[in-house]
Amino acid sequence: PVKNVVWNSTQAEKNGFKHFMLKEIHEQPRAVTDTLRGRLELEQHDALLDEVQLDPATIKKIIIVACGTSNHAGMVGKFMIEQLARIPVECDLASEFRYRDPIVGPGDLVIAVSQSGETADTLAAVKEAKAKGARILSIANVVDSSIPRASDGALYTHAGPEIGVASTKAFTTQLIALALIALHLGRKNGKLSKDAAKAFIDELLQLPTKMKEDRKSTRLNSSHDQIS
């Protein structure tokens, strides 16, 4: 089916910022808001993962595969999922995954994390895990890129184009996507209480505002240092 990518040309301009990395740092509050948009079930204190259906009762373990900055997001995701859902999680560098004959198969959920959705090593890891019978869930920023297409389900971060080489908003939104997965699994298997889930959701909802406040504080401190 045809899917519309909502990015536009203005998102690929610096819009007055000195360089793209600075612009993308300042775009983080908006990007986090877009990743959360429509994905929090406030009455049930749960997360909605678009059309992805996850049943913790059928998951023996979770393996997160990624490269570079996405791998760092995966490491944090491991802590969140194990803490909130009490499901064992492994975090693997995708470039090493297929070369070590990984122990993976039916009952395992592999979460592939990639900003572009085209990372060659991560795509190879997805194909290896799928060939062994694992279920694949991808987290990506680019709609209908190769890794989501090779997966059984995809959770898009909606961060917008990231042009700066050093990752900023893509990394932040990957953490949000992993947090939503952890929240959902914890609520589904009963390991995360309603009160704890509500507190976690409240913190997620406050993140964009807190990021804006922190950004203003950093700018003020920077200006003060220059004056001094």
Side-chain angles (χ1 to χ4, degrees):
V2 175
K3 294 185 180 179
N4 293 323
V5 178
V6 296
W7 297 354
N8 56 60
S9 59
T10 60
Q11 291 177 290
E13 297 173 357
K14 286 185 281 190
N15 295 337
F17 289 97
K18 187 175 181 179
H19 46 73
F20 282 109
M21 182 177 173
L22 184 60
K23 177 196 174 197
E24 288 156 12
I25 288 171
H26 283 258
E27 287 178 335
Q28 286 179 102
R30 188 275 308 160
V32 167
T33 298
D34 287 347
T35 306
L36 290 172
R37 194 183 308 278
R39 287 174 169 163
L40 290 173
E41 177 53 73
L42 300 182
E43 292 184 3
Q44 300 299 321
H45 310 298
D46 199 352
L48 303 172
L49 305 180
D50 300 340
E51 298 178 0
V52 177
Q53 301 295 323
L54 295 179
D55 181 2
T58 65
I59 300 173
K60 294 190 298 184
K61 72 174 182 292
I62 295 172
I63 303 173
I64 300 175
V65 293
C67 292
T69 300
S70 297
N71 183 57
H72 292 129
M75 292 178 186
V76 181
K78 167 185 167 68
F79 296 149
M80 288 192 287
I81 294 171
E82 289 189 337
Q83 181 179 2
L84 300 186
R86 309 307 297 168
I87 298 173
V89 181
E90 299 174 7
C91 194
D92 248 303
L93 267 174
S95 56
E96 305 295 326
F97 185 76
R98 60 179 166 151
Y99 297 112
R100 63 174 184 82
D101 191 17
I103 302 173
V104 59
D108 295 330
L109 174 67
V110 171
I111 301 177
V113 187
S114 169
Q115 190 282 133
S116 66
E118 300 291 346
T119 311
D121 285 322
T122 306
L123 179 59
V126 164
K127 292 179 178 179
E128 175 77 11
K130 198 166 188 178
K132 291 178 178 289
R135 186 182 179 194
I136 314 296
L137 168 62
S138 60
I139 295 173
N141 188 28
V142 182
V143 175
D144 264 2
S145 46
S146 296
I147 292 171
R149 289 203 312 270
S151 304
D152 298 299
L155 193 61
Y156 291 107
T157 56
H158 305 303
E162 187 175 65
I163 298 170
V165 175
S167 185
T168 51
K169 61 182 181 177
F171 172 73
T172 310
T173 54
Q174 286 171 354
L175 294 180
I176 297 299
L178 288 161
L180 292 172
I181 292 171
L183 170 65
H184 182 65
L185 290 173
R187 291 297 290 143
K188 290 275 282 186
N189 67 7
K191 300 297 184 181
L192 185 64
S193 70
K194 185 176 288 189
D195 289 342
K198 182 181 183 303
F200 190 75
I201 289 172
D202 288 344
E203 288 295 329
L204 286 176
L205 291 172
Q206 291 178 50
L207 264 180
T209 300
K210 288 183 176 181
M211 294 172 82
K212 288 179 183 177
E213 291 172 352
D214 185 62
R215 186 181 64 191
K216 289 178 182 177
S217 174
T218 301
R219 288 162 76 184
L220 287 172
N221 290 336
S222 176
S223 298
H224 177 74
D225 291 342
Q226 289 175 4
I227 294 170
S228 300

